[in-house]
Amino acid sequence: MLIGREVTVLGAGVAGLAVARALALRGAAVTVLEQADTLTDIGAGLQITPNGARVLRSLGLGDSLSGAGLRAKAVQLLDGETGSKVLRIDLAELRPGQEYRFVHRADLIALLADGAREAGVEIRLGQKIAEVALGGDKPRLVTEAGTEIRTGLLIGADGLHSRTRAALNGPVAPFFTHQVAWRATLPEKPGGDPEARVYMGPGRHLVTYPLRGGTLRNIVAVEERRNWVEESWRLRDDPLALRLAFENFVPEVRDWLARVDEPWLWGLFRHPVARRWHGQGGVILGDAAHPTLPFLAQGANMALEDAWVLSACLARHDEEAAGLAAYQLAREARVRRIVEAANANARNYHLTGMKRDIAHLGLRAIAALRPAAMLGRFDWLYGYDATAI
């Protein structure tokens, strides 16, 4: 049913570009509408885990992924105040057949955009949508300039503040988690180990890993606080505030933060998983359907999974409504589990007092006695193959 089907995708992020290529490869005529004037992205890193890498390779973008991202060898959890090792997971040794990569977000967007265009997708920039109306003969979009656009199937990949989600579910107010995150990238000399490090401390933690062949260091630093911060990816903060938040951490962390000139800051909010993912000619995926906190590195990976499963379900069913229903049924339980696991990590990284000592002691025991056990706890996550659906 997809051959020649007109599809409009709102948003040229990871979810939007991935679903655009997936549908175009199956014969759909896909147009992507993006509000930005250029497909640039604020510098930040992300992790592509095996479940996301499988989708990229099945989309024919495996070589591009290999060229864009370092292959991760290990993950280390450390006490941020003493530097002592809590746990090290050797990915290369324990999961040699699985692919974990560190990728600059801008590089992932670029390879997905190239892949979408190569498959015949039209990407239209500068399309700021003010209104999304579902129902009637066709979904209707109104731009900020007042232009009306009628679409075929409308796919909302329009992120946290999705107008498509609101059209399906009505407005839902998120709530502040009382956590904020800074992010930054720093120039680095290549040659360090390609591993992710998590420095944990009371009420705060910092994650770092290399990007672009080791020439950049990605930093995400999270602090608990009572003050509300706007939910935005585009706020700047005083670097002194970041340095003060981690002044009791080990020298290597303080040295990195001393080199940060203008960190980006965003407040972390929790949104419920959408109740309705489809209806009246529209469907949502990625952050529009199930926003998640960044404590399991699964936002981009879930978006890639969604893209594949949505396109496969639409291709498999003769009726569009049946395909959309099958898509939500296939995805909803899994993404809810991932979102809750990310919420749990937010708590576990910031333990204090006796709870922290006991937790770290337990992790050290696992590392010494059964090093594969910790990674095995996430086989349900990384072993999942969306392309088998």
Side-chain angles (χ1 to χ4, degrees), residues 66-83:
S66 296
L70 279 170
R71 190 155 192 160
K73 290 186 177 180
V75 176
Q76 274 206 84
L77 304 183
L78 302 111
D79 186 310
E81 295 181 334
T82 68

Side-chain angles (χ1 to χ4, degrees), residues 365-389:
I366 291 173
L369 301 175
R370 298 179 60 206
M374 189 65 187
L375 190 56
R377 292 174 56 194
F378 293 97
D379 283 346
W380 66 271
L381 177 60
Y382 304 136
Y384 176 82
D385 186 358
T387 68
I389 291 178

Side-chain angles (χ1 to χ4, degrees), residues 27-87:
V30 184
T31 300
V32 176
L33 304 180
E34 167 56 38
Q35 66 176 347
D37 294 324
T38 59
L39 280 184
T40 57
D41 197 87
I42 296 173
L46 51 80
Q47 299 178 51
I48 297 297
T49 50
N51 47 309
R54 292 185 190 99
V55 173
L56 288 169
R57 293 202 171 275
S58 294
L59 287 173
L61 300 174
D63 289 344
S64 297
L65 173 63
S66 296
L70 279 170
R71 190 155 192 160
K73 290 186 177 180
V75 176
Q76 274 206 84
L77 304 183
L78 302 111
D79 186 310
E81 295 181 334
T82 68
S84 61
K85 184 172 72 176
V86 177
L87 177 71

Side-chain angles (χ1 to χ4, degrees), residues 17-232:
L17 293 171
V19 78
R21 177 171 170 87
L23 290 168
L25 290 175
R26 295 176 184 271
V30 184
T31 300
V32 176
L33 304 180
E34 167 56 38
Q35 66 176 347
D37 294 324
T38 59
L39 280 184
T40 57
D41 197 87
I42 296 173
L46 51 80
Q47 299 178 51
I48 297 297
T49 50
N51 47 309
R54 292 185 190 99
V55 173
L56 288 169
R57 293 202 171 275
S58 294
L59 287 173
L61 300 174
D63 289 344
S64 297
L65 173 63
S66 296
L70 279 170
R71 190 155 192 160
K73 290 186 177 180
V75 176
Q76 274 206 84
L77 304 183
L78 302 111
D79 186 310
E81 295 181 334
T82 68
S84 61
K85 184 172 72 176
V86 177
L87 177 71
R88 186 177 191 275
I89 301 173
D90 192 321
L91 301 172
E93 178 182 334
L94 298 175
R95 293 291 187 272
Q98 294 189 347
E99 188 172 11
Y100 301 79
R101 290 193 181 270
F102 304 132
V103 184
H104 197 291
R105 188 178 187 87
D107 297 339
L108 180 62
I109 293 296
L111 75 86
L112 286 169
D114 289 345
R117 291 189 177 104
E118 186 272 335
V121 174
E122 179 187 2
I123 301 175
R124 295 168 56 189
L125 303 175
Q127 302 297 305
K128 296 178 174 62
I129 303 301
E131 181 183 346
V132 173
L134 301 177
D137 294 338
K138 289 185 174 182
R140 182 174 64 90
L141 309 176
V142 180
T143 70
E144 288 186 357
T147 303
E148 184 174 297
I149 302 171
R150 292 282 181 171
T151 74
L153 175 64
L154 177 65
I155 299 180
D158 42 347
L160 285 175
H161 306 292
S162 169
R163 295 187 183 277
T164 318
R165 173 184 171 130
L168 285 167
N169 295 273
V172 176
F175 67 88
F176 184 42
T177 63
H178 298 291
Q179 294 181 334
V180 299
W182 294 273
R183 55 196 173 94
T185 55
L186 297 172
E188 195 71 285
K189 292 181 180 179
D193 289 334
E195 65 180 28
R197 295 182 185 178
V198 183
Y199 294 83
M200 302 176 292
R204 68 206 68 231
H205 77 278
L206 181 144
V207 180
T208 184
Y209 49 84
L211 295 171
R212 290 182 172 167
T215 61
L216 287 179
R217 174 171 297 281
N218 189 67
I219 292 174
V220 178
V222 177
E223 177 194 38
E224 294 178 4
R225 64 164 66 165
R226 302 306 300 175
N227 297 335
W228 181 87
V229 175
E230 179 183 351
E231 187 182 28
S232 171

